[in-house]
Structure formats: structure tokens, C-alpha cells
DNA sequence: GTTTCTGCAAAGGTTTTGCAACAAA
DNA sequence: TTTGTTGCAAAACCTTTGCAGAAAC
């Protein structure tokens, strides 16, 4: 498991008098095994592939824990479901662009966004912004130009 | 009822072969009676104040309809609940700042945001952005400076 | 040993749906 | 008339919770 994740988790556990357990390790391993976003139920599936006895309740409880210590963040990617994003430790300022053609999610960082957030926030009579999120939905340029798009083809293939 | 709302709704209804009903009128009236955001259950309450026989199912079905024709938009204001925003007809580009001290939501428009969205989207290989949303959460400047904030005092008063 | 944690199953809350009666066009 | 709409109640989801036994420290 990634060193920084371990460190932050341990710090949070001990500061709160909480315990390190086998289940929490399994769920954390599952959550950060890739950089993909996931829903609670998907995390349960991943976790059960590592240890099939992990319960749904513990997954939900651990999700809350991981959000509290900043390792995960809830993100609204549209599509009417809350997803969890495991990439904020590495990219604390990133945002999301969602492809309207194939639903793929592109993470991006942009130095101008932070400045803009800051200006807007102050202008409205607030102190430095604490939490910002930006979501863009757009159509794929490649698909529109060439009539095909790698992601979309791959997706169709999966569905077939 | 606002003329533009009526027009857009009628256009959508007739283009889809749908009907104008007493219930839909009531729910639309309730939804746009103020510029406040609301949850489904809150809309049901408002609608029932106008006509107490309106059913929950019809409210949900009408919400879907109003989102489809662009009169409402779902917004994620944090706090783990989807809200509906009735103000996109008048301010199609607006965004939200949420006060961390009193939970009030400030809508804002900013000309730079659109440009930034546009640049980012093209740089990532997508066509002109279709749907954008930006959310900022921040602490109140007034509260921090003077130890008090009108909104917050009003809120405490309501809770007492 | 004490306190926290887990799994289970039940409960809670929100949204959707099948269906028969009803209403709009 | 025909087709879409409604209300109801049940179902479908997703998430939380009470509790007794198990595990961490």
C-alpha cells in the first residue's frame, strides 16, 4: 500500500483513538488499488475479492472514515450517483470533465481555476475558499471529427 | 406563472406528445413560486399547499419532466442531498457558493468562468462544453471579522 | 480487561414502478 | 375514443443502525 496513504490513515486512527483492523486494511487496499472512481457497492465487490467475508456495513463505515481523513472525496459525476475519488492525495486541486459520448471521466488540474475561485470568493464577501469543485460535460472532438473514438469503441465492445 | 416557463413547458409537452394537466400546473407553480432550491419532498409539501391531493409519485415524475426540458437542474450543494434549482432559465450560467458557517447558498455569475471552461475543454480534446458547474465552499468574512453574521443569527433564531 | 469493531439483519429514507381508474385531446 | 396521466401501494435502492460476539490494544 502507498506509503502516504498508510501514514495519513494511521495518523487519523491514532489521533481519534481508533483501531487498525484487518477489514480496514482490506477496504483501503481495494479503494486505492487503482485510480478509478467507484461507488460504495463497487468497493464492496473489490474488497470481497481480497477477503470475501468483508461486510457491507463495514464498507460504508470505512468510507465515512476515509472521507473524514481526506483520503477519499465524494464527487458528483452526474449520472445520479455519488462516486468516491481516491486521487485527491496526489492531486488535491483536480476537477472532472465527463464525456457525453462515452461517460469517461477525465481529471484535470488548471492553475487558473484556483485564482478564479479565490477572486470570486472574496468578491462575494467570503474568506479563502475551502472546498472547490468544477465539473464540465462535453462531447468528444475525436468522435465528432472521425466518427469514432477509442474509448467509445472499447465501451461498445464491453457491452457486447 | 412566468411566461417563459409556461412557453418552454408547453413547447416540450407538445413536442413530445405529452399533456398539460392540473397536477403538472400545480407542481410547476410550486416549483417556481420562489427562487429557492428544494428537495423532492419539499416540493411535494409546497404543491400540497396548493392542492392537497397531489401525489408523491406525480411530483417525482414531474421533476424528471422539468429537468428534461431544462426548467430545473439538479445541483449538488454538498450535504448529501440532491437539490433542484429553478433559476437556470434566468441565469443559465450561474454557479454556487455555500457558506460553511450557515449553509446559505449564494448564486453567482462570472464572465471569466465560461472562458476558462471553454479553454480547458478544448485543451483536453473535447468540443464546446455543454454543461458546467462550479461549487465553492467558504467561511463568511463578516462572521470572522465581527463575530456575527446576519444569516447565522437568523438561522439560530429559527432553530430556537 | 476494556473499548472499539464487525457482521448480521432490520430499519430508514428516497425514488421508481405496475396497475386500474381517470382525464386530456 | 385513444392515449397519456394519476394515485396508490408495493417494490427497489441505497445507507444507517442496534446489538451481540469478536478483535484490537
Amino acid at each position: 500500500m502507498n506509503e502516504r496513504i498508510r501514514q495519513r490513515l494511521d495518523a487519523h486512527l491514532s489521533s481519534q483513538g481508533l483501531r487498525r483492523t484487518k477489514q480496514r486494511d482490506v477496504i483501503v487496499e481495494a479503494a486505492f488499488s487503482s485510480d478509478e472512481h467507484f461507488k460504495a457497492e463497487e468497493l464492496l465487490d473489490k474488497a470481497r475479492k481480497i477477503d470475501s467475508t468483508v461486510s457491507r456495513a463495514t464498507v460504508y463505515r470505512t468510507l465515512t472514515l476515509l472521507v473524514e481523513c481526506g483520503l477519499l472525496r465524494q464527487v458528483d459525476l452526474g449520472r445520479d450517483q455519488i462516486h468516491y475519488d481516491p486521487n485527491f492525495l496526489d492531486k488535491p486541486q483536480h476537477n472532472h470533465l465527463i464525456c457525453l459520448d462515452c461517460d469517461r471521466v477525465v481529471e484535470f488540474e488548471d492553475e487558473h481555476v484556483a485564482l478564479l475561485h479565490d477572486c470570486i470568493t472574496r468578491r462575494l464577501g467570503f474568506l479563502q475558499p475551502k472546498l472547490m469543485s468544477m465539473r464540465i460535460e462535453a462531447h468528444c472532438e475525436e468522435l465528432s471529427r472521425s466518427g469514432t473514438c477509442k474509448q467509445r469503441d472499447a465501451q461498445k465492445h464491453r457491452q457486447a
Side-chain angles (χ1 to χ4, degrees), chain A:
Chain A
M1 185 187 307
N2 180 312
E3 195 53 38
R4 295 175 65 208
I5 294 170
R6 181 80 266 156
Q7 269 175 23
R8 184 175 301 195
L9 180 58
D10 284 348
H12 185 250
L13 291 179
S14 59
S15 78
Q16 306 285 72
L18 305 175
R19 290 168 186 178
R20 179 168 176 181
T21 67
K22 184 163 122 323
Q23 289 88 342
R24 284 179 180 162
D25 278 357
V26 167
I27 293 166
V28 169
E29 193 185 326
F32 298 96
S33 62
S34 85
D35 60 2
E36 282 191 40
H37 308 130
F38 52 81
K39 294 175 277 193
E41 202 66 21
E42 292 169 345
L43 179 57
L44 175 63
D45 289 344
K46 284 196 198 186
R48 282 191 168 159
K49 276 182 189 142
I50 303 174
D51 174 349
S52 63
T53 68
V54 169
S55 76
R56 178 172 285 107
T58 299
V59 165
Y60 277 101
R61 287 188 276 233
T62 304
L63 277 170
T64 304
L65 189 74
L66 293 175
V67 169
E68 278 167 8
C69 71
L71 284 171
L72 289 180
R73 207 178 297 178
Q74 293 189 331
V75 290
D76 172 18
L77 302 174
R79 314 289 173 284
D80 290 341
Q81 274 228 259
I82 288 175
H83 283 77
Y84 292 87
D85 186 327
N87 306 321
F88 279 96
L89 191 63
D90 288 337
K91 301 191 280 177
Q93 297 275 355
H94 78 263
N95 291 289
H96 300 95
L97 186 151
I98 299 138
C99 180
L100 288 165
D101 299 311
C102 70
D103 279 359
R104 83 176 181 278
V105 177
V106 180
E107 300 194 338
F108 65 89
E109 294 184 285
D110 184 290
E111 58 182 315
H112 305 95
V113 171
L115 180 63
L116 193 55
H117 279 148
D118 209 78
C119 292
I120 291 170
T121 304
R122 289 176 199 283
R123 200 173 64 207
L124 295 171
F126 288 80
L127 299 174
Q128 193 175 332
K130 284 288 178 213
L131 258 178
M132 300 87 84
S133 73
M134 177 187 266
R135 188 180 87 214
I136 300 175
E137 300 182 32
H139 285 288
C140 176
E141 191 271 334
E142 182 188 354
L143 179 66
S144 142
R145 181 169 38 75
S146 71
T148 181
C149 149
K150 281 166 209 141
Q151 295 292 332
R152 199 181 202 208
D153 295 345
Q155 190 188 37
K156 277 186 184 167
H157 193 261
R158 277 198 302 279
Q159 286 171 355

